[in-house]
Amino acid sequence: MKQNLYDQQLQEHWNRIEQALPEYLPTGKDSLSAAMRYACEAGGKRIRPVLTLEFCRLCGGDPAAALPFACAVEMLHSYSLVHDDLPCMDDSLLRRGKPSAHAAFGEAAALLAGDALLTAAFETIAGAEMEPAFVAGASLTLARAAGAGGMVGGQMLDLESEGKAIDLDTLEELQRGKTGALLTAACQLGCLAAGVTDVRLEAAARFGSELGLSFQMVDDILDITSDRETLGKPTGSDQANEKATYVTLLGVEETRRRAASHTEEAEAALRTFGEEAKTLCRLAQALLQRER
């Protein structure tokens, strides 16, 4: 793993996801199938599905049994990136150092590939071989995180805020939806895959929410301090699109301080899981200090 974010335990999860994800994707030679595979197989940190598998392990479950949930989260995340890069959104031609899906396949094919990945995510969850109550709970959790009250709602607020002066509370609401909701759901799905619905589910949600805010703050910093080659995507896009970010509202140093504070809150939420959660504390710190 090039990012060097993961210890041995999390690296094993990453390897497992890389092996399993293609099994849930179409194998046809048509352009739609190719675009779906392209969007999902472009690499990346796989943070969300790794969190799903690790929370399943922390709750005493078998990470292999959580793979359908983990792959569903990654498919849904990939769909969001495909749509985020479209001309009507951020109009980005580069993603993870490669042409974005619409640059490689055309706008129409990319749009439909995103739609297909979204529906395939729920098909994958529905086909998981576990208690129906937990399958239904996972579907509901992911739907809420992905929809108007979560990721899509956050994206809409982001678009509506372009070129406008927004306050910090609005920005936090935006990012809790756009970035934090799916990270939170990924953690919760791991607990559900292990059959857990007690305080550990709440602790997982707190971890994901706080990690999401810290993650976005670091992203905002990197957008102005890093370069295209390191990030694998254009830098300065937030400024070009006149988007409010934590850096534009708070400055780099205060954003760093707040990112560290949210990371501490994320780590505090892991106390519910005891010593076994140290691997996620190390991940949180690695994400805080990442350079891409």
Side-chain angles (χ1 to χ4, degrees):
M1 184 74 180
K2 293 181 179 179
Q3 287 84 5
N4 294 321
L5 294 174
Y6 298 150
D7 63 10
Q8 182 177 353
Q9 179 65 62
L10 298 185
Q11 183 66 48
E12 289 177 5
H13 294 330
W14 189 88
N15 292 340
R16 208 172 239 164
I17 292 157
E18 290 299 294
Q19 292 173 1
L21 186 58
E23 298 176 9
Y24 294 100
L25 296 170
T27 58
K29 296 181 180 180
D30 59 286
S31 58
L32 178 60
S33 297
M36 292 172 68
R37 292 193 301 271
Y38 183 87
C40 287
E41 296 172 356
K45 304 176 185 70
R46 307 291 197 209
I47 293 168
R48 293 154 191 83
V50 164
L51 287 173
T52 299
L53 296 192
E54 179 60 7
F55 271 102
C56 179
R57 187 189 74 83
L58 288 177
C59 290
D62 178 8
L67 277 169
F69 288 3
C71 290
V73 168
E74 186 64 9
M75 283 189 279
L76 199 145
H77 174 58
S78 296
Y79 122 75
S80 74
L81 298 182
V82 169
H83 282 194
D84 205 35
D85 289 337
L86 288 171
C88 62
M89 297 289 180
D90 288 349
D91 195 13
S92 178
L93 296 175
L94 197 67
R95 171 68 65 178
R96 294 169 177 166
K98 297 170 61 178
S100 56
H102 76 270
F105 291 88
E107 187 175 348
L111 177 65
L112 292 173
D115 292 342
L117 285 170
L118 170 60
T119 52
F122 288 97
E123 179 183 356
T124 300
I125 285 183
E129 296 180 357
M130 61 180 66
E131 289 291 330
F134 295 112
V135 172
S139 296
L140 181 60
T141 297
L142 192 59
R144 284 174 172 167
M151 185 178 66
V152 172
Q155 176 70 2
M156 188 67 199
L157 187 54
D158 190 24
L159 291 171
E160 291 177 337
S161 299
E162 288 182 5
K164 299 178 182 178
I166 63 173
D167 58 25
L168 191 59
D169 287 341
T170 301
L171 180 60
E172 183 166 308
E173 177 189 356
L174 185 164
Q175 296 300 355
R176 282 193 184 277
K178 183 178 178 181
T179 303
L182 194 56
L183 278 165
T184 299
C187 299
Q188 292 176 301
L189 260 60
C191 299
L192 292 171
V196 165
T197 58
D198 56 24
V199 294
R200 289 171 289 180
L201 186 65
E202 298 173 9
R206 289 198 304 275
F207 173 81
S209 180
E210 295 297 327
L211 185 70
L213 288 176
S214 176
F215 188 92
Q216 185 58 51
M217 288 176 180
V218 174
D219 253 14
D220 287 354
I221 292 170
L222 293 176
D223 188 63
I224 65 167
T225 62
S226 189
D227 55 71
R228 172 174 169 156
E229 288 70 28
T230 301
L231 288 184
K233 61 181 180 180
T235 56
S237 58
D238 291 332
Q239 184 176 5
N241 291 326
E242 297 184 276
K243 290 188 177 184
T245 70
Y246 287 105
V247 171
T248 60
L249 292 182
L250 301 171
V252 171
E253 291 310 312
E254 178 61 13
T255 301
R256 287 190 199 280
R257 188 193 71 77
R258 294 196 182 209
S261 177
H262 284 294
T263 297
E264 290 176 3
E265 291 296 322
E267 292 174 343
L270 293 173
R271 291 171 188 157
T272 300
F273 299 92
E275 289 296 309
E276 279 290 299
K278 280 189 174 180
T279 189
L280 286 181
C281 289
R282 290 192 290 270
L283 173 61
Q285 286 295 325
L287 291 173
L288 177 65
Q289 298 164 21
R290 75 187 191 279
E291 297 179 355
R292 56 175 296 181

